[in-house]
Amino acid sequence: MSEAKGRHTQSLAHRVPDLAALELLLAVARLGSLGAAAREVGITQPAASSRIRSMERQLGVALVDRSPRGSRLTDAGALVTDWARRVVEAAAAFDAGARALRDRRDSRLRVAASMTIAEYLLPGWLLALHAGRPDTAVSLLAGNSAKVAELLLAGEADLGFVEGLTVPTGLDSTVIARDRLIVVTAPAHPWARRRRPLTAAELAATPLILRERGSGTRQVLDAALGGLARPLIELSSTTAVKASAVSGAGPSVLSELAVGEELGMRRLVSIPVEGVSLRRDLRAVWPTGHRPTGPARELLSLTRG
């Protein structure tokens, strides 16, 4: 294979000088001095000379005549400089476009979160994010864990948070916190006067005030007990479940995060349960292969603080 043919089969990146070399050549053309050009681009004069020689070898032509009076472009150098100017201008336009895309991305953040995380953890994280990114508009979509996955996979959210046992298909995840579910009742409920812990079988056989199917809390409880009795009441938010339990409508199982105030004020009572673990992982999730960037990445980092 001839040298010319071999050069032709190389990729464009091997045949065309990089932007740093082209910017140096433009500086030499404008300033008429290799030393001055080196200072302008922030390198030493020997490094600038080496860069010019490397570019000349790559292109196969002499670009600069050096003399005690300064550096002058050869005829080929002048022609290459014209081409270099167009390449650098195109690169500047590319950079401006990419910066505009980043600015547009960073101007908003769409978060989807399951109810417990949305109500009891996200507000603090979002306040911290706002302190560092006051110009980022944040929208929060709250729903059960299944809904969070649906929004992410449809491209309608940038980052999600779920409480279920498993990561929905099509999503990557990382554990951001751990939580515990506890059985609670109003103080007047018979369970509040029990001297022995509930058994797992008793809990499983009792109609409870529960979140709807698809919620992380419901998934964890169902899996831990191996099945549940028909719900006493089925509600679509943690707040509604908690209010029903406080009213005395019946027992419920809720996140420890959600009932701290009610337990402290004795509006609810925690009921011990033996023979079952009700601990769970809280996870951040995002579409597989699309690691969070920009404000989504920053929010993710805040959850680990």
Side-chain angles (χ1 to χ4, degrees):
M1 181 182 295
S2 68
E3 181 180 351
K5 187 173 181 181
R7 287 172 57 82
H8 183 71
T9 58
Q10 288 180 324
S11 70
L12 195 61
H14 288 92
R15 303 198 309 271
V16 176
D18 62 27
L19 285 174
L22 297 180
E23 287 178 322
L24 174 63
L25 183 63
L26 290 174
V28 172
R30 186 173 63 256
L31 300 172
S33 163
L34 189 60
R39 288 191 295 274
E40 180 172 279
V41 301
I43 60 176
T44 65
Q45 183 165 339
S49 294
S50 176
R51 190 171 291 179
I52 292 293
R53 285 195 298 272
S54 176
M55 185 165 39
E56 289 174 330
R57 286 194 301 271
Q58 185 178 25
L59 295 176
V61 295
L63 301 173
V64 178
D65 282 334
R66 304 161 185 83
S67 72
R69 294 187 300 277
S71 299
R72 183 182 64 81
L73 295 179
T74 64
D75 290 344
L79 185 58
V80 170
T81 298
D82 286 339
W83 298 336
R85 187 172 293 107
R86 294 179 221 167
V87 172
V88 170
E89 287 172 354
F94 181 95
D95 178 59
R99 188 165 57 250
L101 285 175
R102 289 194 300 272
D103 290 344
R104 186 172 68 180
R105 177 203 66 191
D106 293 353
S107 69
R108 67 169 188 173
L109 173 62
R110 301 167 301 167
V111 180
S114 53
M115 291 295 186
T116 300
I117 297 175
E119 292 182 63
Y120 301 101
L121 292 176
L122 259 174
W125 298 336
L126 293 180
L127 280 174
L129 180 69
H130 179 73
R133 287 183 174 268
D135 296 329
T136 298
V138 179
S139 60
L140 172 60
L141 303 167
N144 61 37
S145 294
K147 181 63 175 178
V148 170
E150 180 184 317
L151 290 167
L152 285 167
L153 293 173
E156 296 175 16
D158 304 306
L159 184 64
F161 296 93
V162 297
E163 309 158 15
L165 284 173
T166 59
V167 178
T169 302
L171 300 181
D172 288 338
S173 74
T174 186
V175 174
I176 55 162
R178 288 182 168 82
D179 185 27
R180 184 168 69 100
L181 300 180
I182 58 176
V183 180
V184 293
T185 69
H189 191 277
W191 282 1
R193 297 187 292 276
R194 285 178 62 108
R195 298 195 176 192
R196 292 183 297 106
L198 281 174
T199 66
E202 285 178 302
L203 183 59
T206 301
L208 302 169
I209 304 168
L210 294 174
R211 285 284 309 280
E212 79 287 2
R213 290 186 182 277
S215 74
T217 299
R218 179 86 170 255
Q219 290 174 13
V220 171
L221 184 61
D222 195 5
L225 297 177
L228 296 168
R230 183 188 297 272
L232 178 66
I233 309 172
E234 196 173 60
L235 298 166
S236 61
S237 78
T238 300
T239 299
V241 171
K242 184 167 59 174
S244 295
V246 168
S247 74
S252 184
V253 179
L254 288 165
S255 165
E256 195 171 33
L257 295 169
V259 294
E261 182 179 341
E262 288 73 17
L263 292 174
M265 298 176 65
R266 292 287 297 175
R267 297 172 66 200
L268 288 174
V269 177
S270 176
I271 310 300
V273 183
E274 62 183 8
V276 65
S277 173
L278 295 178
R279 294 189 179 276
R280 62 178 178 175
D281 292 333
L282 306 181
R283 298 175 179 272
V285 290
W286 56 88
T288 298
H290 296 276
R291 186 82 183 175
T293 59
R297 180 177 60 187
E298 191 164 330
L299 177 59
L300 180 59
S301 70
L302 290 169
T303 67
R304 300 164 176 168

